[in-house]
């Protein structure tokens, strides 16, 4: 019995020792966290000022994070065309290159799910933002884009209670963001039946494309009271109406610097009133910090919502003053900001 007791004691000591070693290794791992890990940004499109600002914000914030030793790498990759197949191939390449996390602005909410699942199965964290994906293994940082469309009609109802004809300028065809904002605008028109959409074009969230598209449809349209938009298209719409010698309608803006500058000129000259709304390009930096927190072992909900950035008549000047030439009104996120967003989603 005495020998048996000694054996049990020895086994207990061994178990405690193994547990202590395992615990120490786990402690070491938690201490290392995301340090030494590699994060990639997979971006499907860079052909407008919003995307350029988004990439600039990513570069600014992640370079400092790398320099501070928070992560080992945070490289941005952008496909040459807004094509699902090209972005899927890009994600597969990032898997082969051994990235620990992929922050994803997706060309489609569901067509990339196969590539995203491959990444998850390889042990890679996938955080989608702006253009989010529906694959359950991924995380999502979304703006209520439908609400972003609907608030435009709320505003028009206040300013134009008698209603009128609307021209809708949509974004990139087939992209989740475009579909959601369009749904919100449709819901707003249904709520305020005094408004009627008499024309719709795709402006690709780009001033030059929007201007050409609006110019092409204007000759066939009756009087337009207001233009509802998605961002990056307001200034182009204004130029198209001017070139056609048609009265300038109330144009909802999308936080681009040239839109805000034009709005201020009109406000100073004639008291022109409108509002501006968009998602801040710096949401890419929030996605970076969320990925970093997941790699650091933190518990993060799969779905998070961030507010859109709205500019009204009262804060136009201050917003314009803080927006760089050719850029977009922006907010860049810190680690503390990300922790607050994560906590709010729990």
């Amino acid at each position: 019995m005495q020998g048996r007791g000694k054996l049990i004691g020895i086994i207990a000591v061994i178990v405690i020792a193994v547990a202590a070693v395992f615990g120490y290794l786990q402690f070491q791992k938690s201490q290392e966290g995301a340090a030494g890990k590699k994060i990639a940004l997979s971006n499907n499109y860079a052909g407008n000022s919003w995307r350029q600002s988004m990439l600039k914000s990513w570069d600014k914030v992640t370079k400092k994070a790398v320099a501070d030793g928070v992560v080992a790498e945070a490289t941005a990759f952008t496909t040459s065309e807004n094509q699902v197949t090209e972005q899927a191939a890009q994600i597969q390449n990032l898997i082969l290159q051994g990235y620990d996390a992929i922050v994803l602005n997706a060309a489609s909410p569901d067509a990339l799910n196969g590539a995203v699942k491959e990444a998850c199965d390889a042990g890679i964290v996938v955080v989608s933002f702006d253009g989010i994906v529906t694959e359950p293994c991924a995380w999502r940082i979304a703006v209520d884009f439908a609400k972003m469309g609907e608030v435009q009609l709320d505003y028009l109802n206040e300013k134009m209670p008698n209603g009128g004809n609307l021209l809708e300028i949509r974004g990139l065809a087939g992209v989740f963001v475009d579909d959601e904002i369009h749904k919100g605008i449709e819901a707003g028109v249904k709520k305020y039946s005094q408004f009627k959409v008499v024309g719709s074009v795709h402006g690709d969230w780009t001033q030059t494309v929007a201007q050409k598209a609006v110019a092409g449809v204007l000759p066939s349209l009756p009087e337009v009271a207001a233009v509802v938009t998605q961002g990056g298209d307001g200034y182009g719409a204004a130029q198209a109406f001017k070139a056609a010698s048609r009265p300038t309608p109330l144009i909802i803006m999308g936080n681009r610097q040239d839109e805000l500058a034009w709005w201020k000129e009109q406000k100073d000259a004639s008291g022109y009133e409108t509002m501006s709304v968009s998602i801040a390009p710096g949401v890419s930096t929030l996605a970076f910090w969320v990925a970093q927190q997941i790699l650091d072992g933190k518990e993060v909900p799969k779905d998070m919502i961030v507010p859109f950035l709205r500019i009204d008549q009262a804060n136009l000047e201050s917003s314009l003053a803080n927006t760089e030439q050719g850029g977009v009104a922006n907010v860049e996120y810190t680690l503390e900001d990300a922790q607050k967003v994560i906590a709010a989603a729990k």
Side-chain angles (χ1 to χ4, degrees), residues 227-308:
V227 180
V228 287
T229 65
Q230 294 197 5
D233 38 29
Y235 181 73
Q239 296 308 300
F241 274 88
K242 181 180 178 181
S245 299
R246 293 187 58 153
T248 302
L250 190 160
I251 304 171
I252 304 294
M253 298 299 173
N255 294 4
R256 276 60 170 177
Q257 185 271 336
D258 52 4
E259 295 177 324
L260 301 180
W262 178 88
W263 175 9
K264 184 179 184 305
E265 288 176 4
Q266 307 312 304
K267 176 186 175 185
D268 292 345
S270 63
Y272 185 87
E273 290 189 35
T274 186
M275 57 89 79
S276 184
V277 62
S278 182
I279 178 174
V283 69
S284 63
T285 64
L286 174 60
F288 164 76
W289 287 117
V290 167
Q292 184 271 340
Q293 286 289 279
I294 297 167
L295 292 175
D296 210 41
K298 304 299 188 297
E299 184 181 340
V300 177
K302 287 288 187 177
D303 293 281
M304 289 151 279
I305 299 290
V306 292
F308 44 76

Side-chain angles (χ1 to χ4, degrees), residues 41 44-45 99 106 123 142 151 158 169 175 183 199 202 226 228 233-234 283:
L41 169 63
N44 68 305
Y45 179 74
Y99 282 92
V151 297
E158 292 175 9
I169 306 179
V175 176
K183 285 179 187 176
H202 281 276
V228 287
D233 38 29
V283 69

Side-chain angles (χ1 to χ4, degrees), residues 7-194:
L7 179 61
I8 292 172
I10 291 169
I11 292 171
V13 169
I14 292 171
V15 168
I16 292 169
V18 169
V21 170
F22 179 77
Y24 175 76
L25 291 175
Q26 290 298 102
F27 172 76
Q28 286 290 93
K29 184 178 180 181
S30 69
Q31 288 296 98
E32 292 171 4
K37 302 293 178 66
K38 300 195 304 177
I39 300 176
L41 169 63
S42 172
N43 175 46
N44 68 305
Y45 179 74
N48 60 34
S49 58
W50 192 94
R51 291 297 179 111
Q52 291 297 323
S53 293
M54 182 267 285
L55 291 169
K56 189 172 181 179
S57 289
W58 172 275
D59 188 60
K60 175 183 173 183
V61 170
T62 62
K63 271 187 175 176
K64 186 176 187 307
V66 171
D68 291 345
V70 176
V71 295
E73 183 183 328
T75 307
F77 300 89
T78 299
T79 56
S80 57
E81 299 289 338
N82 179 38
Q83 297 292 333
V84 168
T85 52
E86 188 180 6
Q87 192 170 26
Q90 182 189 74
I91 292 169
Q92 289 162 346
N93 285 335
L94 296 176
I95 296 170
L96 295 174
Q97 290 173 41
Y99 282 92
D100 300 287
I102 298 172
V103 172
L104 174 65
N105 196 338
S108 166
D110 49 22
L112 286 169
N113 282 350
V116 170
K117 185 65 165 56
E118 285 182 43
C120 293
D121 289 346
I124 298 169
V125 169
V126 179
V127 178
S128 62
F129 72 99
D130 186 37
I132 58 174
V133 293
T134 56
E135 167 54 48
C137 72
W139 280 261
R140 284 160 290 279
I141 299 172
V143 162
D144 189 345
F145 287 111
K147 186 66 175 176
M148 207 169 93
E150 195 169 346
V151 297
Q152 298 184 44
L153 271 296
D154 292 337
Y155 177 82
L156 292 179
N157 181 59
E158 292 175 9
K159 294 297 176 182
M160 301 176 171
N162 293 326
N165 293 328
L166 305 180
L167 169 63
E168 180 184 8
I169 306 179
R170 298 185 58 169
L172 276 171
V175 176
F176 164 81
V177 176
D178 169 63
D179 291 336
E180 288 299 302
I181 297 175
H182 172 65
K183 285 179 187 176
I185 289 171
E186 283 189 320
V189 171
K190 186 176 181 180
K191 183 163 58 171
Y192 304 114
S193 58
Q194 70 269 36

